[in-house]
Amino acid sequence: MPLLREYDDPKLATVGEAMELFRQMFEGLQFMHEHHVAHRDISKLNVMMDSQPILPDSFHPQSPEMSRDMKRWLTPRSRTAHPVKYYITDFGLSTRYSAEETNPLEIPIFGGDRTVPEFQQDRTIPRNPFHTDIYYMGNFIRQYFMQEYTNFTFMEPLIATMVQDDPSKRPTMDDVVTSFKEILSKLSSWKLRERLVERKDNVAVNFLKDLHHISFRTVPFLLTRRPALPTPKA
């Protein structure tokens, strides 16, 4: 296992980088569900990345902004130029079921995300943890991407289905992956290269960030033919 780092340190820079994160997370959870494993605690703290491609000299575990020998500050490389792999971690609350258990029910257990609608009701009522996983995944994207950035309106219909109050109406991960692939197929290369625009930024800040992004990311990556969706090698 590589030395993992928080998925957003450094921050993702483009729509394409975010979509690659979503793709890996969706397919990872789909794989777990196909093998009858419910994670039960998908949250920001449990999404990590192998930062070796963007920090080839590694980092110090106690001071992630410093080199492993603590002698210099680190300057991360771009994810678009050096794609990374993401990991869903912490299986302490996870449960594996038999293939015959098509609708397993468990007493709710609170993980890092305490906003699950069905958990706000009677906590003694057993719930299907696979339905809860879908909510966790959708709410992660809603909270840390859709509410933070202006770029993800195209994800709203899918995420809305994943975070429905009625857990029985949420899609399966197979459905999510199918819908996501369709969404991704309709995004242009220009859209994927688009800078992530923070909702808190004003016009002046956005202008300066756009200028920097086009000059030091978009144009160089177009000239070097870097893919807009930075998918790491298997």
Side-chain angles (χ1 to χ4, degrees), residues 26-210:
F26 285 163
E27 292 182 2
L29 188 57
Q30 179 190 35
F31 179 84
M32 282 186 257
H33 285 192
E34 285 176 348
H35 289 78
H36 319 294
V37 175
H39 187 277
R40 307 184 72 187
D41 191 17
I42 296 171
S43 62
K44 187 177 190 292
L45 294 178
N46 292 336
V47 180
M48 308 289 283
M49 71 171 170
D50 175 6
S51 62
Q52 195 278 331
I54 60 174
L55 294 169
D57 297 327
S58 195
F59 60 94
H60 195 282
Q62 289 189 316
S63 299
E65 71 282 0
M66 301 292 293
S67 61
R68 186 181 285 271
D69 59 11
M70 294 289 285
K71 291 183 178 180
R72 58 188 174 84
W73 297 95
L74 294 175
T75 302
R77 303 193 296 189
S78 164
R79 285 177 172 84
T80 298
H82 305 278
V84 301
K85 291 183 179 180
Y86 298 96
Y87 293 81
I88 299 173
T89 64
D90 189 357
F91 290 81
L93 299 180
S94 302
T95 305
R96 184 176 184 180
Y97 301 93
S98 68
E100 291 73 31
E101 293 180 272
T102 57
N103 185 37
L105 298 174
E106 300 280 0
I107 297 297
I109 298 177
F110 276 112
D113 183 347
R114 295 176 174 266
T115 65
V116 182
E118 56 266 35
F119 289 7
Q120 312 308 315
Q121 303 165 16
D122 189 341
R123 298 179 190 173
T124 64
I125 299 176
R127 305 287 185 174
N128 186 319
F130 292 102
H131 295 165
T132 307
D133 274 357
I134 302 297
Y135 175 86
Y136 282 144
M137 184 67 77
N139 194 49
F140 168 80
I141 293 173
R142 176 174 64 176
Q143 184 174 0
Y144 297 107
F145 289 89
M146 296 171 64
Q147 293 177 357
E148 292 289 328
Y149 303 101
T150 64
N151 311 75
F152 297 103
T153 55
F154 58 85
M155 288 289 291
E156 288 176 358
L158 173 58
I159 299 304
T161 65
M162 297 174 69
V163 298
Q164 293 182 81
D165 286 350
D166 185 345
S168 67
K169 294 182 179 180
R170 295 172 196 154
T172 66
M173 278 312 301
D174 286 342
D175 295 331
V176 170
V177 169
T178 298
S179 297
F180 179 76
K181 287 180 178 179
E182 183 177 355
I183 292 169
L184 184 57
S185 70
K186 295 178 180 178
L187 298 181
S188 68
S189 174
W190 287 109
K191 180 63 179 180
L192 293 172
R193 295 186 190 280
E194 190 175 275
R195 176 180 69 84
L196 293 184
V197 179
E198 297 184 68
R199 294 187 182 277
K200 64 180 178 62
D201 288 345
N202 59 35
V203 174
V205 170
N206 277 325
F207 174 78
L208 293 174
K209 286 186 175 181
D210 283 342

